[in-house]
Amino acid sequence: MRDDKLLTRIGGLLRQAEGTDNEHEAQAFLAAAQRLATASSIDLAVARDHDPALRKRQTPLSRQIVIGTAGKRGLRTYVQLFVHIGRANDLTCDVASNSTYVIAYGYEADIDAVETLYASLVVQMVAASDAYLKSGAYKQETAQQVVTRDYGPWRRRVVEEKALSPITARLNFQSAFAERIGARLLEARDQQRDEAVRAEADAGSAGSTSTSTAVALRNKELEVTDFHRRESTARGSWRPSRATAGYSSAARRAGDHAGRRAKIGADREFGAPRGALEP
């Protein structure tokens, strides 16, 4: 399937999810969008494994995707959402130290699919967290937060129970939302892969190393890993949250529930200048 046709079909499924008030239908459409992206990715991986000329033309690449402007609070949860979607679609990501952009490494069709999914889901995440805050449910909850206290000549970091602030509630809600979306997409991806492998085995072609789905997917994974290792200049590792941000189980439960019920819709942005990666 041509990339533009694939993205059109994925976009159509996302719009169908957005247009239904039925929670189970919305979940089914989102899963169908991920399964379609996976099926196309499998077809391309097998084709590349089978055709040396195609393998030379289609190689991994990197693309910078803007997440938000410097200074905007909560960008880490936006990045977390993108990374979870990318993980379900065979991408490796580097993250800017201020979380304003990510650099995605993988095949072009996979990056396109991830951007399409992210553009829909990030608006859903923000809208759901806004609704949670407006409900006021967080005001009766508390959060565990790491703080630094002076004890004579020593300073120690301790965990304290505090009233749940709006920003802590939002960050916990969105973090749990992103994790739930990632789990849903991984489940849909794995189901599609399992079906492809079973179909190949039933057709009696699983023994062919040149066209085996499992071998092709493994080769693709190694190619992306090797490409990232060669091209990446990132140092250290990125974490979706800081210890001092505070942890709220209530806000996370609400975010997880919203992630299970997610519908879709949104815009995307590209092309920020390259900045320093996470030290």
Side-chain angles (χ1 to χ4, degrees), residues 5 13 17 23 32 49 64 77 81 95 104 120 124 129 133-134 142 149-150 152 166 173 212 219 227-228 240 256 273:
K5 291 184 178 180
L13 289 166
E23 173 183 341
D49 238 31
Q64 182 173 297
T77 56
L81 178 64
V95 182
S120 292
Q124 174 66 17
S129 61
L133 292 180
K134 288 179 181 178
T142 60
R149 297 298 184 196
D150 291 325
F173 182 102
S212 167
N219 289 341
F227 176 74
H228 174 259
D256 180 83

Side-chain angles (χ1 to χ4, degrees), residues 46-59 210:
V46 172
R48 282 191 299 267
D49 238 31
H50 183 67
D51 185 349
L54 183 61
R55 189 160 57 245
K56 290 181 179 179
R57 292 198 305 271
Q58 292 189 353
T59 58
S210 61

Side-chain angles (χ1 to χ4, degrees), residues 46 49 193-217:
V46 172
D49 238 31
R193 287 185 173 184
D194 290 345
E195 288 179 10
V197 171
R198 284 198 300 270
E200 185 182 49
D202 291 343
S205 60
S208 172
T209 58
S210 61
T211 60
S212 167
T213 297
V215 171
L217 290 173

Side-chain angles (χ1 to χ4, degrees), residues 56-68:
K56 290 181 179 179
R57 292 198 305 271
Q58 292 189 353
T59 58
L61 53 81
S62 63
R63 184 185 300 169
Q64 182 173 297
I65 296 96
V66 169
I67 299 299

Side-chain angles (χ1 to χ4, degrees), residues 131-188:
Y132 171 65
L133 292 180
K134 288 179 181 178
S135 75
Y138 74 94
K139 294 180 180 179
Q140 308 303 318
E141 304 294 342
T142 60
Q144 292 77 44
Q145 192 167 9
V146 177
V147 297
T148 302
R149 297 298 184 196
D150 291 325
Y151 295 92
W154 299 283
R155 303 184 72 194
R156 294 182 59 187
R157 301 178 76 189
V158 297
V159 177
E160 292 187 352
E161 194 91 8
K162 293 190 172 186
L164 181 57
S165 68
I167 184 60
T168 301
R170 180 184 294 277
L171 294 177
N172 278 266
F173 182 102
Q174 292 184 350
S175 178
F177 182 102
E179 289 178 5
R180 175 53 57 186
I181 289 296
R184 286 173 60 184
L185 297 183
L186 280 172
E187 181 181 12

Side-chain angles (χ1 to χ4, degrees), residues 23-82:
E23 173 183 341
H24 299 293
E25 286 185 357
Q27 291 183 18
F29 283 130
L30 177 57
Q34 177 59 62
R35 287 164 65 87
L36 178 61
T38 300
S40 177
S41 180
I42 290 172
D43 289 344
L44 287 172
V46 172
R48 282 191 299 267
D49 238 31
H50 183 67
D51 185 349
L54 183 61
R55 189 160 57 245
K56 290 181 179 179
R57 292 198 305 271
Q58 292 189 353
T59 58
L61 53 81
S62 63
R63 184 185 300 169
Q64 182 173 297
I65 296 96
V66 169
I67 299 299
T69 57
K72 180 178 175 62
R73 301 187 74 174
L75 290 181
R76 282 175 173 264
T77 56
Y78 291 23
V79 169
Q80 188 180 5
L81 178 64
F82 187 95

